[in-house]
Amino acid sequence: MPRKPPPDSDLKERRELLDAAGIARTLRRMAHEIAERVPHGEKPLYLVGVRTGGAYLAHRLCDVLAAAGEGKPILGAVDISLYRDDVFHGLPKPEIGPTELPEPIEGRTIVLVDDVLFTGRTIRAAMDVLADYGRPRAVKLAALIDRGMRELPIQPDFVGLALQTTVLESVRVMLTERGEPDRVVLRERPA
Amino acid sequence: MSAFGHRHLLGIEPLAAADIETILTLSERFLEIAERPIKKVPTLRGKTVINLFLEPSTRTRTSFEIAAKRLSADAVNISGSGSSTTKGETLLDTARNLDAMSPDVVVVRHSLAGAAEMLAKQLRAGVVNGGDGAHEHPTQALLDCSTIRAHKGKLAGLEVAICGDIRHSRVARSNIWALTKLGARVRVAAPRTLLAPGLTEMGATVHERIEPALEGADVVMMLRIQKERMGGGLFPNTREYSRYFGLNLRRLELAKSDAIVMHPGPLNRGVEIDPAVADGPRAVILDQVARGVAVRMAVLYLLAGGESAAE
């Protein structure tokens, strides 16, 4: 098991941040912003999801972009388990997903996609993974939720929903890909 | 998938099937790193792995060294001839001195069964058994299982023939444990003088001729005749051994038409395996070696990570 995630039992749901329709609407808007602000045309857009939540969202963004006539983006995924700076807090994670970059990233503009942007450490690790595969021209960051409390100088380029949270709170993104109904909820640990 | 709760890897016998599955599945991920332009991940940066090899080894030592380096750990190699053991230092003293330099993992190979376990009781570092006498060689069994699974898609229900010098073979012992735990059926074949007691109890079917063991096998694993461990007189000569127990193309016909041929190396060409088989299309011997690095990366990752598990 990885670093101990807060046990679900003592987390109380406080409010719903997005419902299924809200997630769909937010992703549509983000897809349009990406299409507008990331140069493409000569070469398709290149979306890379951070496993596991970000990979599902990158897939959905790809579908929205393709449906909107922006061409079918290249879809990749990175697993950051081997690049974490906290591998040794707790037992190592016994399960690692594949990193799949179907086309060389050298010279491309990459849009990293994550579900929740928090300390920024995940994104730092994801950028290190990319660096081991090549030198992208630029890396952009899209996050469905930005919950603040950054510990590193990392900022998103595309945000679905931004809110300020506390250490006692936790944002959970539920997705049908994981066998749950589409929802984003804010949960809180009793102080 | 379950967490890996072991601090050491001393053998396959103490592992649960789920532990073996964890390592095998994890190793599939590490296999990909060998295909990257930069064959290195920062996971074990700042960790130290000592390879204490007091018996000759090319494959296993190099494999552990590459595995450690691809995970960004610092790897230090100590071999028997270049170490203070030649000055009379005992294994335990050598190991305690190394432990005082705070390595995170010590991989040990020694000619005595139980050497790794003895060190595990004495050292703070995690210990990996890189082969101890005729006892166990767990990472070899793991890489063999990984190779079989890659070629056959599964292990459960397969018929695996392990042929040759069973008596001196830690590879055979570790493989019998691993394969039976994962649901494969194991037949072993050797001249009576090269069999060992307890094989039936471990779950293997024992043959004193190679032909019945090969019949209908999905996997044929040939073992090296270990001349260095023999007092002599266990079989008349290598030519006769080859005639009765060597794997040639004709004997391989007895196995299934899609059977794979494995060998842990080093090969005695023309003794236990005919070059036509060793270099033929059914041999997966070099694939075993490639997978060895990935399996050892998985083991180092699980052990070096478990180190500071106190939270």
Side-chain angles (χ1 to χ4, degrees), chain B residues 159-193:
Chain B
E159 295 285 348
V160 181
I162 305 179
C163 311
D165 186 355
I166 305 289
R167 174 169 169 163
H168 299 98
S169 179
R170 52 197 175 209
V171 175
R173 294 180 63 82
S174 287
N175 262 308
I176 295 172
W177 287 123
L179 290 164
T180 52
K181 278 175 201 271
L182 296 176
R185 283 187 290 273
V186 180
R187 313 101 168 247
V188 299
R192 189 176 298 176
T193 49

PDB file of all heavy atoms in Angstrom, chain B residues 159-193:
ATOM      1  N   GLU B 159       2.205 -27.599 -17.721  1.00  0.00           N
ATOM      2  CA  GLU B 159       3.073 -28.724 -17.364  1.00  0.00           C
ATOM      3  C   GLU B 159       4.517 -28.274 -17.587  1.00  0.00           C
ATOM      4  O   GLU B 159       4.901 -27.937 -18.710  1.00  0.00           O
ATOM      5  CB  GLU B 159       2.781 -29.936 -18.259  1.00  0.00           C
ATOM      6  CG  GLU B 159       1.384 -30.532 -18.084  1.00  0.00           C
ATOM      7  CD  GLU B 159       1.254 -31.328 -16.788  1.00  0.00           C
ATOM      8  OE1 GLU B 159       2.286 -31.622 -16.139  1.00  0.00           O
ATOM      9  OE2 GLU B 159       0.111 -31.655 -16.425  1.00  0.00           O
ATOM     10  N   VAL B 160       5.292 -28.252 -16.520  1.00  0.00           N
ATOM     11  CA  VAL B 160       6.667 -27.762 -16.618  1.00  0.00           C
ATOM     12  C   VAL B 160       7.631 -28.889 -16.277  1.00  0.00           C
ATOM     13  O   VAL B 160       7.523 -29.500 -15.207  1.00  0.00           O
ATOM     14  CB  VAL B 160       6.900 -26.570 -15.663  1.00  0.00           C
ATOM     15  CG1 VAL B 160       8.327 -26.051 -15.801  1.00  0.00           C
ATOM     16  CG2 VAL B 160       5.898 -25.457 -15.932  1.00  0.00           C
ATOM     17  N   ALA B 161       8.548 -29.189 -17.197  1.00  0.00           N
ATOM     18  CA  ALA B 161       9.555 -30.216 -16.946  1.00  0.00           C
ATOM     19  C   ALA B 161      10.873 -29.542 -16.568  1.00  0.00           C
ATOM     20  O   ALA B 161      11.349 -28.669 -17.293  1.00  0.00           O
ATOM     21  CB  ALA B 161       9.741 -31.071 -18.195  1.00  0.00           C
ATOM     22  N   ILE B 162      11.421 -29.917 -15.415  1.00  0.00           N
ATOM     23  CA  ILE B 162      12.730 -29.405 -15.002  1.00  0.00           C
ATOM     24  C   ILE B 162      13.699 -30.582 -15.044  1.00  0.00           C
ATOM     25  O   ILE B 162      13.505 -31.574 -14.342  1.00  0.00           O
ATOM     26  CB  ILE B 162      12.675 -28.799 -13.582  1.00  0.00           C
ATOM     27  CG1 ILE B 162      11.586 -27.724 -13.500  1.00  0.00           C
ATOM     28  CG2 ILE B 162      14.039 -28.215 -13.198  1.00  0.00           C
ATOM     29  CD1 ILE B 162      11.450 -27.087 -12.127  1.00  0.00           C
ATOM     30  N   CYS B 163      14.704 -30.496 -15.929  1.00  0.00           N
ATOM     31  CA  CYS B 163      15.528 -31.665 -16.197  1.00  0.00           C
ATOM     32  C   CYS B 163      17.005 -31.380 -15.974  1.00  0.00           C
ATOM     33  O   CYS B 163      17.503 -30.324 -16.375  1.00  0.00           O
ATOM     34  CB  CYS B 163      15.363 -32.110 -17.653  1.00  0.00           C
ATOM     35  SG  CYS B 163      13.647 -32.240 -18.161  1.00  0.00           S
ATOM     36  N   GLY B 164      17.675 -32.331 -15.362  1.00  0.00           N
ATOM     37  CA  GLY B 164      19.114 -32.212 -15.211  1.00  0.00           C
ATOM     38  C   GLY B 164      19.548 -32.363 -13.765  1.00  0.00           C
ATOM     39  O   GLY B 164      18.968 -33.142 -13.014  1.00  0.00           O
ATOM     40  N   ASP B 165      20.536 -31.583 -13.399  1.00  0.00           N
ATOM     41  CA  ASP B 165      21.154 -31.725 -12.085  1.00  0.00           C
ATOM     42  C   ASP B 165      20.278 -31.122 -10.987  1.00  0.00           C
ATOM     43  O   ASP B 165      20.529 -30.025 -10.501  1.00  0.00           O
ATOM     44  CB  ASP B 165      22.527 -31.028 -12.142  1.00  0.00           C
ATOM     45  CG  ASP B 165      23.329 -31.245 -10.871  1.00  0.00           C
ATOM     46  OD1 ASP B 165      22.789 -31.839  -9.915  1.00  0.00           O
ATOM     47  OD2 ASP B 165      24.488 -30.814 -10.842  1.00  0.00           O
ATOM     48  N   ILE B 166      19.236 -31.866 -10.621  1.00  0.00           N
ATOM     49  CA  ILE B 166      18.286 -31.369  -9.621  1.00  0.00           C
ATOM     50  C   ILE B 166      18.963 -31.269  -8.252  1.00  0.00           C
ATOM     51  O   ILE B 166      18.753 -30.323  -7.494  1.00  0.00           O
ATOM     52  CB  ILE B 166      17.075 -32.336  -9.511  1.00  0.00           C
ATOM     53  CG1 ILE B 166      16.416 -32.548 -10.872  1.00  0.00           C
ATOM     54  CG2 ILE B 166      16.093 -31.847  -8.465  1.00  0.00           C
ATOM     55  CD1 ILE B 166      15.662 -31.375 -11.409  1.00  0.00           C
ATOM     56  N   ARG B 167      19.809 -32.236  -7.979  1.00  0.00           N
ATOM     57  CA  ARG B 167      20.394 -32.355  -6.647  1.00  0.00           C
ATOM     58  C   ARG B 167      21.156 -31.113  -6.203  1.00  0.00           C
ATOM     59  O   ARG B 167      21.048 -30.676  -5.074  1.00  0.00           O
ATOM     60  CB  ARG B 167      21.339 -33.557  -6.662  1.00  0.00           C
ATOM     61  CG  ARG B 167      22.137 -33.723  -5.385  1.00  0.00           C
ATOM     62  CD  ARG B 167      22.807 -35.076  -5.435  1.00  0.00           C
ATOM     63  NE  ARG B 167      23.785 -35.214  -4.381  1.00  0.00           N
ATOM     64  CZ  ARG B 167      24.254 -36.390  -4.004  1.00  0.00           C
ATOM     65  NH1 ARG B 167      23.832 -37.500  -4.614  1.00  0.00           N
ATOM     66  NH2 ARG B 167      25.147 -36.464  -3.059  1.00  0.00           N
ATOM     67  N   HIS B 168      21.929 -30.528  -7.120  1.00  0.00           N
ATOM     68  CA  HIS B 168      22.727 -29.364  -6.757  1.00  0.00           C
ATOM     69  C   HIS B 168      22.036 -28.056  -7.088  1.00  0.00           C
ATOM     70  O   HIS B 168      22.645 -26.999  -7.009  1.00  0.00           O
ATOM     71  CB  HIS B 168      24.071 -29.409  -7.478  1.00  0.00           C
ATOM     72  CG  HIS B 168      24.890 -30.607  -7.124  1.00  0.00           C
ATOM     73  ND1 HIS B 168      24.933 -31.737  -7.919  1.00  0.00           N
ATOM     74  CD2 HIS B 168      25.667 -30.858  -6.049  1.00  0.00           C
ATOM     75  CE1 HIS B 168      25.719 -32.639  -7.352  1.00  0.00           C
ATOM     76  NE2 HIS B 168      26.174 -32.135  -6.213  1.00  0.00           N
ATOM     77  N   SER B 169      20.763 -28.148  -7.490  1.00  0.00           N
ATOM     78  CA  SER B 169      20.165 -26.962  -8.096  1.00  0.00           C
ATOM     79  C   SER B 169      19.223 -26.179  -7.187  1.00  0.00           C
ATOM     80  O   SER B 169      18.119 -26.599  -6.894  1.00  0.00           O
ATOM     81  CB  SER B 169      19.416 -27.360  -9.368  1.00  0.00           C
ATOM     82  OG  SER B 169      18.834 -26.214  -9.932  1.00  0.00           O
ATOM     83  N   ARG B 170      19.698 -25.004  -6.767  1.00  0.00           N
ATOM     84  CA  ARG B 170      18.823 -24.073  -6.049  1.00  0.00           C
ATOM     85  C   ARG B 170      17.777 -23.500  -6.993  1.00  0.00           C
ATOM     86  O   ARG B 170      16.690 -23.130  -6.577  1.00  0.00           O
ATOM     87  CB  ARG B 170      19.655 -22.946  -5.445  1.00  0.00           C
ATOM     88  CG  ARG B 170      20.569 -22.259  -6.465  1.00  0.00           C
ATOM     89  CD  ARG B 170      21.635 -21.462  -5.759  1.00  0.00           C
ATOM     90  NE  ARG B 170      22.597 -20.889  -6.689  1.00  0.00           N
ATOM     91  CZ  ARG B 170      23.865 -20.655  -6.373  1.00  0.00           C
ATOM     92  NH1 ARG B 170      24.326 -20.989  -5.172  1.00  0.00           N
ATOM     93  NH2 ARG B 170      24.679 -20.091  -7.221  1.00  0.00           N
ATOM     94  N   VAL B 171      18.135 -23.452  -8.291  1.00  0.00           N
ATOM     95  CA  VAL B 171      17.177 -22.956  -9.286  1.00  0.00           C
ATOM     96  C   VAL B 171      15.970 -23.885  -9.337  1.00  0.00           C
ATOM     97  O   VAL B 171      14.821 -23.446  -9.357  1.00  0.00           O
ATOM     98  CB  VAL B 171      17.845 -22.844 -10.668  1.00  0.00           C
ATOM     99  CG1 VAL B 171      16.823 -22.446 -11.731  1.00  0.00           C
ATOM    100  CG2 VAL B 171      18.986 -21.836 -10.630  1.00  0.00           C
ATOM    101  N   ALA B 172      16.239 -25.199  -9.335  1.00  0.00           N
ATOM    102  CA  ALA B 172      15.140 -26.172  -9.379  1.00  0.00           C
ATOM    103  C   ALA B 172      14.261 -26.023  -8.146  1.00  0.00           C
ATOM    104  O   ALA B 172      13.033 -25.979  -8.251  1.00  0.00           O
ATOM    105  CB  ALA B 172      15.697 -27.587  -9.467  1.00  0.00           C
ATOM    106  N   ARG B 173      14.884 -25.911  -6.972  1.00  0.00           N
ATOM    107  CA  ARG B 173      14.090 -25.829  -5.741  1.00  0.00           C
ATOM    108  C   ARG B 173      13.203 -24.585  -5.742  1.00  0.00           C
ATOM    109  O   ARG B 173      12.007 -24.656  -5.473  1.00  0.00           O
ATOM    110  CB  ARG B 173      15.000 -25.829  -4.518  1.00  0.00           C
ATOM    111  CG  ARG B 173      15.748 -27.133  -4.323  1.00  0.00           C
ATOM    112  CD  ARG B 173      16.634 -27.060  -3.092  1.00  0.00           C
ATOM    113  NE  ARG B 173      15.855 -26.872  -1.880  1.00  0.00           N
ATOM    114  CZ  ARG B 173      15.257 -27.858  -1.230  1.00  0.00           C
ATOM    115  NH1 ARG B 173      15.350 -29.102  -1.670  1.00  0.00           N
ATOM    116  NH2 ARG B 173      14.568 -27.605  -0.149  1.00  0.00           N
ATOM    117  N   SER B 174      13.797 -23.437  -6.051  1.00  0.00           N
ATOM    118  CA  SER B 174      13.002 -22.205  -6.052  1.00  0.00           C
ATOM    119  C   SER B 174      11.894 -22.276  -7.097  1.00  0.00           C
ATOM    120  O   SER B 174      10.785 -21.807  -6.867  1.00  0.00           O
ATOM    121  CB  SER B 174      13.903 -20.993  -6.320  1.00  0.00           C
ATOM    122  OG  SER B 174      14.693 -20.717  -5.182  1.00  0.00           O
ATOM    123  N   ASN B 175      12.210 -22.875  -8.246  1.00  0.00           N
ATOM    124  CA  ASN B 175      11.191 -22.968  -9.287  1.00  0.00           C
ATOM    125  C   ASN B 175      10.059 -23.911  -8.906  1.00  0.00           C
ATOM    126  O   ASN B 175       8.903 -23.638  -9.220  1.00  0.00           O
ATOM    127  CB  ASN B 175      11.819 -23.396 -10.617  1.00  0.00           C
ATOM    128  CG  ASN B 175      12.074 -22.197 -11.519  1.00  0.00           C
ATOM    129  OD1 ASN B 175      11.184 -21.399 -11.761  1.00  0.00           O
ATOM    130  ND2 ASN B 175      13.301 -22.054 -11.979  1.00  0.00           N
ATOM    131  N   ILE B 176      10.396 -25.017  -8.241  1.00  0.00           N
ATOM    132  CA  ILE B 176       9.319 -25.931  -7.832  1.00  0.00           C
ATOM    133  C   ILE B 176       8.376 -25.207  -6.868  1.00  0.00           C
ATOM    134  O   ILE B 176       7.156 -25.258  -7.010  1.00  0.00           O
ATOM    135  CB  ILE B 176       9.895 -27.218  -7.183  1.00  0.00           C
ATOM    136  CG1 ILE B 176      10.694 -28.011  -8.228  1.00  0.00           C
ATOM    137  CG2 ILE B 176       8.766 -28.082  -6.626  1.00  0.00           C
ATOM    138  CD1 ILE B 176      11.471 -29.190  -7.651  1.00  0.00           C
ATOM    139  N   TRP B 177       8.960 -24.468  -5.911  1.00  0.00           N
ATOM    140  CA  TRP B 177       8.105 -23.722  -4.977  1.00  0.00           C
ATOM    141  C   TRP B 177       7.234 -22.717  -5.725  1.00  0.00           C
ATOM    142  O   TRP B 177       6.021 -22.650  -5.540  1.00  0.00           O
ATOM    143  CB  TRP B 177       8.954 -22.952  -3.944  1.00  0.00           C
ATOM    144  CG  TRP B 177       9.612 -23.792  -2.896  1.00  0.00           C
ATOM    145  CD1 TRP B 177      10.947 -23.847  -2.619  1.00  0.00           C
ATOM    146  CD2 TRP B 177       8.990 -24.670  -1.950  1.00  0.00           C
ATOM    147  NE1 TRP B 177      11.198 -24.706  -1.583  1.00  0.00           N
ATOM    148  CE2 TRP B 177      10.014 -25.223  -1.151  1.00  0.00           C
ATOM    149  CE3 TRP B 177       7.662 -25.044  -1.716  1.00  0.00           C
ATOM    150  CZ2 TRP B 177       9.763 -26.126  -0.115  1.00  0.00           C
ATOM    151  CZ3 TRP B 177       7.413 -25.955  -0.677  1.00  0.00           C
ATOM    152  CH2 TRP B 177       8.458 -26.490   0.096  1.00  0.00           C
ATOM    153  N   ALA B 178       7.870 -21.934  -6.581  1.00  0.00           N
ATOM    154  CA  ALA B 178       7.146 -20.850  -7.256  1.00  0.00           C
ATOM    155  C   ALA B 178       6.063 -21.401  -8.185  1.00  0.00           C
ATOM    156  O   ALA B 178       4.908 -20.975  -8.142  1.00  0.00           O
ATOM    157  CB  ALA B 178       8.118 -19.978  -8.042  1.00  0.00           C
ATOM    158  N   LEU B 179       6.441 -22.374  -9.012  1.00  0.00           N
ATOM    159  CA  LEU B 179       5.502 -22.883 -10.013  1.00  0.00           C
ATOM    160  C   LEU B 179       4.309 -23.573  -9.363  1.00  0.00           C
ATOM    161  O   LEU B 179       3.168 -23.379  -9.791  1.00  0.00           O
ATOM    162  CB  LEU B 179       6.232 -23.838 -10.965  1.00  0.00           C
ATOM    163  CG  LEU B 179       7.239 -23.156 -11.896  1.00  0.00           C
ATOM    164  CD1 LEU B 179       8.189 -24.168 -12.516  1.00  0.00           C
ATOM    165  CD2 LEU B 179       6.508 -22.374 -12.991  1.00  0.00           C
ATOM    166  N   THR B 180       4.561 -24.365  -8.327  1.00  0.00           N
ATOM    167  CA  THR B 180       3.442 -25.063  -7.701  1.00  0.00           C
ATOM    168  C   THR B 180       2.539 -24.078  -6.958  1.00  0.00           C
ATOM    169  O   THR B 180       1.323 -24.220  -6.967  1.00  0.00           O
ATOM    170  CB  THR B 180       3.917 -26.174  -6.735  1.00  0.00           C
ATOM    171  OG1 THR B 180       4.851 -25.607  -5.819  1.00  0.00           O
ATOM    172  CG2 THR B 180       4.596 -27.306  -7.476  1.00  0.00           C
ATOM    173  N   LYS B 181       3.149 -23.052  -6.327  1.00  0.00           N
ATOM    174  CA  LYS B 181       2.316 -22.036  -5.654  1.00  0.00           C
ATOM    175  C   LYS B 181       1.414 -21.324  -6.649  1.00  0.00           C
ATOM    176  O   LYS B 181       0.314 -20.895  -6.320  1.00  0.00           O
ATOM    177  CB  LYS B 181       3.196 -20.995  -4.950  1.00  0.00           C
ATOM    178  CG  LYS B 181       3.712 -21.443  -3.572  1.00  0.00           C
ATOM    179  CD  LYS B 181       4.683 -20.403  -3.012  1.00  0.00           C
ATOM    180  CE  LYS B 181       5.590 -20.976  -1.945  1.00  0.00           C
ATOM    181  NZ  LYS B 181       5.045 -20.891  -0.594  1.00  0.00           N
ATOM    182  N   LEU B 182       1.898 -21.167  -7.890  1.00  0.00           N
ATOM    183  CA  LEU B 182       1.117 -20.450  -8.898  1.00  0.00           C
ATOM    184  C   LEU B 182       0.238 -21.391  -9.728  1.00  0.00           C
ATOM    185  O   LEU B 182      -0.357 -20.983 -10.718  1.00  0.00           O
ATOM    186  CB  LEU B 182       2.052 -19.642  -9.805  1.00  0.00           C
ATOM    187  CG  LEU B 182       2.824 -18.539  -9.075  1.00  0.00           C
ATOM    188  CD1 LEU B 182       3.807 -17.856 -10.006  1.00  0.00           C
ATOM    189  CD2 LEU B 182       1.884 -17.505  -8.458  1.00  0.00           C
ATOM    190  N   GLY B 183       0.200 -22.661  -9.348  1.00  0.00           N
ATOM    191  CA  GLY B 183      -0.773 -23.569  -9.965  1.00  0.00           C
ATOM    192  C   GLY B 183      -0.266 -24.367 -11.154  1.00  0.00           C
ATOM    193  O   GLY B 183      -1.053 -25.030 -11.825  1.00  0.00           O
ATOM    194  N   ALA B 184       1.042 -24.293 -11.449  1.00  0.00           N
ATOM    195  CA  ALA B 184       1.579 -25.132 -12.535  1.00  0.00           C
ATOM    196  C   ALA B 184       1.907 -26.518 -11.964  1.00  0.00           C
ATOM    197  O   ALA B 184       2.029 -26.681 -10.753  1.00  0.00           O
ATOM    198  CB  ALA B 184       2.824 -24.488 -13.130  1.00  0.00           C
ATOM    199  N   ARG B 185       2.018 -27.499 -12.881  1.00  0.00           N
ATOM    200  CA  ARG B 185       2.420 -28.834 -12.430  1.00  0.00           C
ATOM    201  C   ARG B 185       3.869 -29.059 -12.856  1.00  0.00           C
ATOM    202  O   ARG B 185       4.238 -28.788 -14.000  1.00  0.00           O
ATOM    203  CB  ARG B 185       1.502 -29.890 -13.032  1.00  0.00           C
ATOM    204  CG  ARG B 185       0.140 -29.944 -12.333  1.00  0.00           C
ATOM    205  CD  ARG B 185      -0.692 -31.102 -12.842  1.00  0.00           C
ATOM    206  NE  ARG B 185      -1.133 -30.890 -14.202  1.00  0.00           N
ATOM    207  CZ  ARG B 185      -2.250 -30.230 -14.514  1.00  0.00           C
ATOM    208  NH1 ARG B 185      -3.022 -29.736 -13.569  1.00  0.00           N
ATOM    209  NH2 ARG B 185      -2.589 -30.065 -15.777  1.00  0.00           N
ATOM    210  N   VAL B 186       4.680 -29.541 -11.917  1.00  0.00           N
ATOM    211  CA  VAL B 186       6.106 -29.660 -12.179  1.00  0.00           C
ATOM    212  C   VAL B 186       6.511 -31.121 -12.208  1.00  0.00           C
ATOM    213  O   VAL B 186       6.171 -31.894 -11.315  1.00  0.00           O
ATOM    214  CB  VAL B 186       6.922 -28.926 -11.088  1.00  0.00           C
ATOM    215  CG1 VAL B 186       8.407 -29.054 -11.351  1.00  0.00           C
ATOM    216  CG2 VAL B 186       6.520 -27.460 -11.013  1.00  0.00           C
ATOM    217  N   ARG B 187       7.221 -31.508 -13.295  1.00  0.00           N
ATOM    218  CA  ARG B 187       7.853 -32.836 -13.317  1.00  0.00           C
ATOM    219  C   ARG B 187       9.361 -32.588 -13.310  1.00  0.00           C
ATOM    220  O   ARG B 187       9.846 -31.705 -14.022  1.00  0.00           O
ATOM    221  CB  ARG B 187       7.554 -33.600 -14.602  1.00  0.00           C
ATOM    222  CG  ARG B 187       6.156 -33.662 -15.121  1.00  0.00           C
ATOM    223  CD  ARG B 187       5.919 -32.708 -16.256  1.00  0.00           C
ATOM    224  NE  ARG B 187       4.631 -33.018 -16.895  1.00  0.00           N
ATOM    225  CZ  ARG B 187       4.525 -33.486 -18.138  1.00  0.00           C
ATOM    226  NH1 ARG B 187       5.603 -33.680 -18.883  1.00  0.00           N
ATOM    227  NH2 ARG B 187       3.352 -33.762 -18.648  1.00  0.00           N
ATOM    228  N   VAL B 188      10.086 -33.345 -12.520  1.00  0.00           N
ATOM    229  CA  VAL B 188      11.538 -33.235 -12.564  1.00  0.00           C
ATOM    230  C   VAL B 188      12.107 -34.540 -13.102  1.00  0.00           C
ATOM    231  O   VAL B 188      11.526 -35.605 -12.907  1.00  0.00           O
ATOM    232  CB  VAL B 188      12.152 -32.925 -11.173  1.00  0.00           C
ATOM    233  CG1 VAL B 188      11.623 -31.603 -10.645  1.00  0.00           C
ATOM    234  CG2 VAL B 188      11.879 -34.045 -10.197  1.00  0.00           C
ATOM    235  N   ALA B 189      13.234 -34.434 -13.812  1.00  0.00           N
ATOM    236  CA  ALA B 189      13.876 -35.631 -14.349  1.00  0.00           C
ATOM    237  C   ALA B 189      15.383 -35.521 -14.182  1.00  0.00           C
ATOM    238  O   ALA B 189      15.975 -34.497 -14.504  1.00  0.00           O
ATOM    239  CB  ALA B 189      13.531 -35.802 -15.829  1.00  0.00           C
ATOM    240  N   ALA B 190      15.982 -36.580 -13.662  1.00  0.00           N
ATOM    241  CA  ALA B 190      17.432 -36.620 -13.488  1.00  0.00           C
ATOM    242  C   ALA B 190      17.842 -38.060 -13.256  1.00  0.00           C
ATOM    243  O   ALA B 190      17.017 -38.888 -12.853  1.00  0.00           O
ATOM    244  CB  ALA B 190      17.839 -35.778 -12.272  1.00  0.00           C
ATOM    245  N   PRO B 191      19.109 -38.393 -13.515  1.00  0.00           N
ATOM    246  CA  PRO B 191      19.589 -39.708 -13.088  1.00  0.00           C
ATOM    247  C   PRO B 191      19.425 -39.805 -11.566  1.00  0.00           C
ATOM    248  O   PRO B 191      19.472 -38.771 -10.885  1.00  0.00           O
ATOM    249  CB  PRO B 191      21.082 -39.687 -13.455  1.00  0.00           C
ATOM    250  CG  PRO B 191      21.279 -38.511 -14.332  1.00  0.00           C
ATOM    251  CD  PRO B 191      20.165 -37.562 -14.097  1.00  0.00           C
ATOM    252  N   ARG B 192      19.227 -40.992 -11.070  1.00  0.00           N
ATOM    253  CA  ARG B 192      18.944 -41.144  -9.642  1.00  0.00           C
ATOM    254  C   ARG B 192      19.979 -40.448  -8.758  1.00  0.00           C
ATOM    255  O   ARG B 192      19.649 -39.856  -7.741  1.00  0.00           O
ATOM    256  CB  ARG B 192      18.861 -42.629  -9.281  1.00  0.00           C
ATOM    257  CG  ARG B 192      18.355 -42.867  -7.866  1.00  0.00           C
ATOM    258  CD  ARG B 192      18.200 -44.327  -7.561  1.00  0.00           C
ATOM    259  NE  ARG B 192      17.215 -44.952  -8.449  1.00  0.00           N
ATOM    260  CZ  ARG B 192      16.946 -46.263  -8.441  1.00  0.00           C
ATOM    261  NH1 ARG B 192      17.584 -47.070  -7.621  1.00  0.00           N
ATOM    262  NH2 ARG B 192      16.049 -46.761  -9.251  1.00  0.00           N
ATOM    263  N   THR B 193      21.233 -40.501  -9.200  1.00  0.00           N
ATOM    264  CA  THR B 193      22.300 -39.887  -8.400  1.00  0.00           C
ATOM    265  C   THR B 193      22.212 -38.369  -8.347  1.00  0.00           C
ATOM    266  O   THR B 193      22.829 -37.727  -7.511  1.00  0.00           O
ATOM    267  CB  THR B 193      23.680 -40.244  -8.994  1.00  0.00           C
ATOM    268  OG1 THR B 193      23.638 -39.970 -10.399  1.00  0.00           O
ATOM    269  CG2 THR B 193      24.038 -41.687  -8.735  1.00  0.00           C
TER     270      THR B 193
END
